[in-house]
């Protein structure tokens, strides 16, 4: 047996083991594929898929990208709630605080007589509105016992508009329990409650609340609310109680504005005065829209309530007070009673010159005015 035949079986065994994937440095050296190459490729494929999945999910950053840092949602919610609380304090709490501050200051003001509360059996109007009877008087004048101003203000009527009705003080009416007389005598006889009954009986208008303000306190409230004065267009040159008012647009402080509203020493008499009173009310309410005035409004409103004798509940003020400024910018619907064509002059020894009226005609005019 030759030497090649003797080692032939060793060569055949090595060929078999090479085919089975055993280590063969000669094949690796020649650049042929080894067993490790598929394993490395699989590892790279898995790594690529891992990064790809992480980019899609957003949980694990991709190669070369910094991790995303998310802000805690809880902390952002706390900041938002904190700002909402601050806004709530500024919009609600502070105005209430200043309102009561002004009310306390007025109630403790010893420079003018304090108004005493009166019995008032208010009635809600048939249209659902809570009308406010406004009475103005000058305790220093010759008619100190009578109401110089009689108005009805409707804030929450079905029309959604501000409605103001002025009653001329010489209007001749039936006063419950007393003889027929001028309407302003009703206050001298029985206060705000008798005025309420007189309006209901003669003109069919009901009032839920009342507010009586003295002229001195009117001046203080105007000066508090409008330190620079109320802008108003004077109809003509006027003079009352030593106050000269020139015709034209100007700013009036509380004292001058009061004299403008009270003047009646001309050919128009009470007709002109009532018109100017309505003009003053409209100017005051419409100018509440100024940002600086709105800041002062809560305290000034508190002073107004503190100076006045009234039965207006705080809930009604908080509900309708803010809307007063907003609605006032659109103007105020105004009506003077008696209406045109419904009155004539008469004279009585005990009452003097009066305005006799057609009550039915005035009732219809009032109802139509409030419904529109």
């Amino acid at each position: 047996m030759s030497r090649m035949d003797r080692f032939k079986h060793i060569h055949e065994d090595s060929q078999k083991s090479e085919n089975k994937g055993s280590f063969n440095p000669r094949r690796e050296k020649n650049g042929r594929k080894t067993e490790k190459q598929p394993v490395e490729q699989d590892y790279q494929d898995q790594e690529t898929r891992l990064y790809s999945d992480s980019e899609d999910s957003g949980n694990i950053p991709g190669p070369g990208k910094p991790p995303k840092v998310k802000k805690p949602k809880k902390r952002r919610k706390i900041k938002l709630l904190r700002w909402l609380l601050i806004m709530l304090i500024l919009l609600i709490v502070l105005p209430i605080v200043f309102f009561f501050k002004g009310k306390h200051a007025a109630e403790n003001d010893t420079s003018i007589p304090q108004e005493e509360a009166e019995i008032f059996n208010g009635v809600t109007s048939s249209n659902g509105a809570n009308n406010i009877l406004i009475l103005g008087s000058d305790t220093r004048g010759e008619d100190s016992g009578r109401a110089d101003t009689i108005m009805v203000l409707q804030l929450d009527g079905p029309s959604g508009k501000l409605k103001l009705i002025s009653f001329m003080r010489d209007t001749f009416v039936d006063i419950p329990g007393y003889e027929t007389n001028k309407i302003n005598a009703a206050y001298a006889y029985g206060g705000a409650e008798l005025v309420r009954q007189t309006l209901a009986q003669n003109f069919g208008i009901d009032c839920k609340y009342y507010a009586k303000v003295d002229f001195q306190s009117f001046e203080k409230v105007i000066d508090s609310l409008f330190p620079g004065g109320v802008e108003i267009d004077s109809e003509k040159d006027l003079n009352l109680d030593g106050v000269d008012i020139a015709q034209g647009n100007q700013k009036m402080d509380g004292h001058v504005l009061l004299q403008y509203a009270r003047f009646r020493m001309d050919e128009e008499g009470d007709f002109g005065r009532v018109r100017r009173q309505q003009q003053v009310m409209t100017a005051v309410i419409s100018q509440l829209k100024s940002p600086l005035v709105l800041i002062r409004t809560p305290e000034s409103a508190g002073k107004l309530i503190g100076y006045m004798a009234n039965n207006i509940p705080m809930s009604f003020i908080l509900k309708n007070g803010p809307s007063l400024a907003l609605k006032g910018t659109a103007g105020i619907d105004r009506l003077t009673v008696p209406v045109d064509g419904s009155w004539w002059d008469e004279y009585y020894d005990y009452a003097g010159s009066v305005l006799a009226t057609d009550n039915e005609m005035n009732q219809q005019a009032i109802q139509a005015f409030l419904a529109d």
Side-chain angles (χ1 to χ4, degrees):
M1 176 182 296
S2 68
R3 188 174 179 179
M4 285 189 67
D5 293 337
R6 194 186 314 169
F7 295 98
K8 185 177 180 180
H9 69 281
I10 298 175
H11 178 71
E12 292 176 353
D13 292 338
S14 66
Q15 289 290 337
K16 292 180 181 180
S17 61
E18 184 177 332
N19 293 334
K20 289 181 180 180
S22 60
F23 177 72
N24 190 339
R26 183 182 301 169
R27 294 184 61 186
E28 287 185 350
K29 187 175 181 179
N30 293 334
R32 297 180 181 177
K33 186 176 179 181
T34 64
E35 293 293 355
K36 285 187 178 180
Q37 285 180 324
V39 175
E40 291 176 355
Q41 184 66 38
D42 290 342
Y43 175 78
Q44 292 176 357
D45 294 342
Q46 291 177 6
E47 185 179 25
T48 301
R49 287 195 302 271
L50 176 62
Y51 281 120
S52 177
D53 293 340
S54 66
E55 288 177 3
D56 295 338
S57 63
N59 295 327
I60 302 175
K65 292 186 178 181
K68 295 181 181 179
V69 180
K70 292 186 177 181
K71 294 182 179 180
K73 292 184 179 180
K74 187 176 182 181
R75 187 172 300 174
R76 281 186 294 179
K77 288 182 179 179
I78 292 175
K79 286 185 178 181
L80 180 60
L81 290 175
R82 186 181 303 164
W83 280 109
L84 288 176
L85 181 60
I86 292 174
M87 293 299 296
L88 184 65
I89 293 174
L90 292 175
L91 295 176
I92 298 179
V93 178
L94 285 181
I96 293 176
V97 171
F98 282 109
F99 175 86
F100 282 103
K101 177 187 174 184
K103 185 172 183 292
H104 177 77
E107 291 173 344
N108 292 275
D109 186 354
T110 58
S111 64
I112 61 176
Q114 293 292 316
E115 297 286 350
E116 296 183 1
E118 303 182 26
I119 296 175
F120 193 80
N121 302 314
V123 177
T124 301
S125 176
S126 59
N127 64 7
N130 296 295
N131 298 326
I132 303 174
L133 172 62
I134 300 176
L135 303 170
S137 67
D138 186 359
T139 56
R140 303 165 299 176
E142 59 181 11
D143 292 333
S144 59
R146 299 193 175 197
D148 192 68
T149 301
I150 301 175
M151 297 179 174
V152 173
L153 178 64
Q154 184 176 99
L155 300 177
D156 57 350
S159 68
K161 302 177 182 178
L162 293 181
K163 302 281 187 175
L164 182 66
I165 305 175
S166 296
F167 295 87
M168 300 184 64
R169 70 177 194 169
D170 291 339
T171 305
F172 204 53
V173 294
D174 293 326
I175 300 177
Y178 297 85
E179 62 182 346
T180 306
N181 207 327
K182 295 179 180 180
I183 193 172
N184 68 339
Y187 185 79
Y189 294 156
E193 170 61 17
L194 187 56
V195 176
R196 182 194 69 79
Q197 295 177 19
T198 301
L199 292 177
Q201 179 172 311
N202 289 270
F203 303 110
I205 183 170
D206 292 312
C207 296
K208 180 68 174 179
Y209 306 119
Y210 85 98
K212 183 194 172 217
V213 60
D214 181 80
F215 289 158
Q216 289 177 281
S217 57
F218 172 83
E219 293 180 18
K220 286 179 175 287
V221 172
I222 292 299
D223 290 339
S224 172
L225 197 57
F226 303 94
V230 176
E231 186 173 349
I232 197 165
D233 188 10
S234 175
E235 296 180 340
K236 60 180 73 176
D237 294 337
L238 306 174
N239 177 280
L240 182 63
D241 292 346
V243 176
D244 291 315
I245 301 174
Q247 182 180 5
N249 192 47
Q250 57 194 282
K251 287 191 175 183
M252 301 182 185
D253 62 17
H255 182 63
V256 175
L257 190 66
L258 176 62
Q259 305 313 313
Y260 179 76
R262 291 182 60 213
F263 183 83
R264 63 166 184 160
M265 310 301 293
D266 59 6
E267 66 281 359
E268 288 188 291
D270 206 33
F271 288 92
R273 181 175 65 170
V274 167
R275 184 179 63 253
R276 283 185 289 275
Q277 288 177 349
Q278 293 180 336
Q279 182 187 7
V280 167
M281 285 285 290
T282 302
V284 170
I285 294 177
S286 64
Q287 291 174 42
L288 290 175
K289 64 182 179 180
S290 168
L292 292 178
V293 174
L294 285 174
I295 293 173
R296 292 187 291 264
T297 297
E299 185 171 356
S300 298
K303 288 183 179 181
L304 179 62
I305 296 298
Y307 282 127
M308 292 190 308
N310 68 91
N311 70 332
I312 305 175
M314 190 59 58
S315 58
F316 184 84
I317 295 173
L318 294 176
K319 179 181 178 181
N320 295 280
S323 65
L324 179 62
L326 297 176
K327 293 178 180 179
T329 59
I332 304 176
D333 291 346
R334 299 178 291 183
L335 179 70
T336 298
V337 176
V339 297
D340 292 340
S342 70
W343 62 274
W344 57 93
D345 289 318
E346 287 187 358
Y347 181 86
Y348 296 89
D349 291 337
Y350 69 93
S353 297
V354 301
L355 299 176
T357 64
D358 181 339
N359 285 352
E360 183 177 353
M361 183 176 178
N362 281 287
Q363 285 188 30
Q364 293 176 355
I366 290 173
Q367 298 305 318
F369 171 74
L370 295 177
D372 183 14

